[in-house]
Structures are given as C-alpha cells and as structure tokens.
Amino acid sequence: MSTKNNPQIDEKFVREYDRAAMRSMFASIFAAVVTARKREGGFTFAALANRLGVGKSVVSRWFNRDVNWEVNTIADIAAALDIDVRITAVDRRTGTVYTPAGSLPTGVRTFSHISHIAHISHIPEDAIPTTPRDAPTFRVIVA
Amino acid sequence: MTLKATAHILFRATDTKKLVRRLPFRSLGPSVRELYVTPEVADALDGTDPNFRALPTVHTERLIAIFDAGQLISASLLGSSKKRPDMERLRDLDEVWAFCVRKPQMWQLRILGRFLDHRIFVGLSAYERRILGGTANYNDLASAVPEKWVQTLGDKPPFRAKSVEEYLGGVCPDVDEE
C-alpha cells in the first residue's frame, strides 16, 4: 500500500487498524476450529451457544461480523470449544519472538515463504546470513 | 493451471504494470492468499483517485490484510448478498466476484474481479456500492469484468471451482452452508 503523504493515515487510523486486526485474529482462530468441528460432524452453533449460555443468533453473528470480545469472553469461547489459545508476540523491529514465558533464545527468527516468493518478516537486511555456516537457528514456516 | 503457469502470467502482468500486488497496510502474518489489482484500483485504494476520496479506510485495509493472511473471509458461491459475505460470486455472470467492504454502511466499496488460481484474486475495477445501485445496474457494470480480464491477462481462463475452500483457502466459511 502506498500511504506516502496520505493525510488520512494518522495515529487514529493506525490504532483502529491494529485493533481491527487483533479482533479479526481471534475471530479467525475460532472460525478455523468451528470449521474443523463441522467437518468432523456433530457441531452446531446451537450447541456452542448452549455451552456459552447465549442465543444462537449471537454466536452466528460472531462469525459474520467484526466483534469486539472481552478477554473473558475469548476465554469462555476457548473453553466451550475445548481448545487452548496460545499467544506469541513478534517485535516488529527485530523479529524477536516473545511468549508468555519470555523471549525465545537469541538467533531464533521467522521466515515466511509465500508460494514461489520468499517473504522475510521483520528482519533487518544485515541480519540475513549469507552462508549456511553463518546462519543461526531458523524456524521456517511454509505458507 | 500449474503453479509455474500462474507465476508466469502474474510476472508478465506485473512486469508490464497491468497489475500490481496489493500488500496489506501492515502484514498480519505470512501471505496465504494473493491480491492483485489494476493500477486504477490501486489508486482508488490509496485515495489518490478523486472519485474515491473516502479511501483509504480502516475497514478496507483490514479486509485486504485478513485476505492476505488467510484469515477469516466469508464467501458465497450463490451470490447471497443478504448474508453479507466478504466475497461473493455474482449471479448470472461468468466467474465474476465481488470483494465486499461493507463498512462503514453509508460508504461501502466493491472490488470486482476474478480468481486466477487457488487463493489468487485479481481485482479489475472498484466501485462505491452506491454507484452500483440495484441488481440490473450492478450486473451491467460487473459484466465488463470478463473483457477487462482479457485485456489484462489475455486468453487465460479464470479459475473455476466448486467450493469456497478451493477458491480461497485459509479460513473461509461458506455462508450458504450455515
């Protein structure tokens, strides 16, 4: 996206974007689980709604709208789906990965491969090794 | 279509600047899907086209980002607009899809285009929803997509599939199955 000198891209825009992205992430995770459970058979929104003590229309709306859940609600949904939600954070500047137990060991970086195009996330150019001998431990995610 | 053939077509289209890869405002993770648009659509999304002064909007950039990241994009193969999917295959047209930004309600955006391959969407024209109007006018404007496709990508047929999963991949509930 070309946002150069676009006056509409201000702090408020960025803040709302980041919030929307976070909401979408949780919705997507839960939707992924729901989709898998439907394929396995026996899952219904009514059953999920029943476990959560809310109406079926509420649950249906969750997966078709942009919903701003409270953290407690996220925890309740995870419990109702019988899943654990695990969170990592990635430093945008350095690529350092953080878990609730702290940062991952130095040298662990993430590469993302997009079909035939290599895409490197958040890695400064001078951090990219030139020879295998120079390479620290890498975790490669193939998209 | 093989991966190699798709890559070749895209390389040619982007090299001749008939298409540009539309990347997210801020990446949400590895790219799982790819969005390509014409320079005109890119200008609209960037807000440099005077006909799209409302852009860029958070909702538009959010939808592009979650599309790119393979996250939740709802879709309809039956053109079920009332179910408000994020993407819908339009009725009575040959593989013409709408990428639907439905917020804010008073200013909605539609990017019309076709799938080139699994997880690869090509946006060929952009319209404010208000301009598209009712079904007849909407379809009339959307009917120009196949010709724009040929102008942009030659005689390569659009991708055809039988399920939302085959078109989109990632997390993509079919609203017609709910």
Side-chain angles (χ1 to χ4, degrees):
Chain A
M1 173 188 180
S2 173
T3 58
K4 194 176 179 181
N5 297 325
N6 191 316
Q8 289 178 238
I9 306 297
D10 54 13
E11 279 186 22
K12 183 183 174 187
F13 183 103
V14 175
R15 183 174 63 239
E16 289 304 317
Y17 177 88
D18 287 342
R19 287 176 174 178
M22 184 73 69
R23 295 193 299 268
S24 294
M25 181 179 63
F26 280 107
S28 193
I29 287 175
F30 291 141
V33 175
V34 165
T35 300
R37 297 283 166 78
K38 282 184 176 179
R39 283 201 193 113
E40 291 165 12
F43 174 88
T44 62
F45 277 135
L48 179 61
N50 202 37
R51 292 185 78 173
L52 288 163
V54 300
K56 177 176 173 286
S57 61
V58 171
V59 173
S60 293
R61 199 162 56 240
W62 282 348
F63 297 105
N64 206 25
R65 297 286 186 273
D66 180 18
V67 181
N68 189 10
W69 286 311
E70 292 185 354
V71 175
N72 285 351
T73 304
I74 291 171
D76 291 344
I77 297 172
L81 290 173
D82 201 21
I83 61 172
D84 292 326
V85 176
R86 293 176 185 163
I87 296 174
T88 58
V90 182
D91 189 310
R92 289 173 184 164
R93 293 171 295 115
T94 65
T96 302
V97 180
Y98 297 90
T99 71
S103 63
L104 292 183
T106 304
V108 176
R109 296 289 184 266
T110 300
F111 285 87
S112 302
H113 187 80
I114 313 158
S115 62
H116 61 291
I117 301 170
H119 173 78
I120 301 175
S121 304
H122 314 300
I123 311 293
E125 282 192 1
D126 57 7
I128 300 172
T130 55
T131 68
R133 188 173 55 235
D134 300 324
T137 304
F138 288 96
R139 177 162 53 96
V140 178
I141 300 172
V142 179
Chain B
M1 195 181 299
T2 64
L3 181 62
K4 195 175 175 183
T6 300
H8 179 69
I9 290 166
L10 284 171
F11 173 78
R12 209 167 52 196
T14 53
D15 194 51
T16 55
K17 303 207 179 351
K18 288 185 177 179
L19 290 177
V20 295
R21 172 85 186 269
R22 187 70 186 185
L23 292 173
F25 170 72
R26 179 179 285 158
S27 172
L28 303 184
S31 283
V32 172
R33 307 179 184 113
E34 295 173 38
L35 174 64
Y36 292 85
V37 297
T38 62
E40 293 76 23
V41 173
D43 286 342
L45 293 171
D46 290 340
T48 54
D49 181 331
N51 294 313
F52 295 89
R53 285 207 178 92
L55 295 176
T57 66
V58 169
H59 301 288
T60 304
E61 293 306 321
R62 166 190 165 268
L63 198 63
I64 290 172
I66 64 177
F67 176 89
D68 181 85
Q71 293 184 13
L72 177 57
I73 292 282
S74 61
S76 169
L77 296 181
L78 303 178
S80 306
S81 296
K82 288 185 180 176
K83 298 187 179 179
R84 301 168 57 84
D86 297 314
M87 294 192 74
E88 54 181 300
R89 189 172 63 182
L90 301 180
R91 296 178 188 175
D92 303 323
L93 293 169
D94 179 26
E95 289 296 336
V96 178
W97 285 74
F99 186 89
C100 308
V101 183
R102 300 182 186 274
K103 284 187 177 181
Q105 190 172 355
M106 298 310 295
W107 198 98
Q108 299 185 34
L109 179 71
R110 299 291 184 270
I111 299 175
L112 305 181
R114 289 172 142 180
F115 280 86
L116 176 64
D117 208 329
H118 172 54
R119 303 184 182 187
I120 302 178
F121 185 69
V122 178
L124 296 164
S125 54
Y127 292 97
E128 188 186 338
R129 181 59 184 91
R130 179 182 59 86
I131 302 297
L132 290 168
T135 304
N137 193 59
Y138 195 140
N139 274 20
D140 190 46
L141 291 171
S143 66
V145 165
E147 186 178 338
K148 284 185 181 175
W149 173 271
V150 172
Q151 291 168 358
T152 306
L153 295 166
D155 58 0
K156 295 306 170 187
F159 182 71
R160 298 175 192 280
K162 295 180 180 174
S163 71
V164 165
E165 163 68 27
E166 287 175 272
Y167 282 101
L168 279 160
V171 182
C172 54
D174 183 342
V175 298
D176 299 312
E177 289 182 355
E178 291 171 8

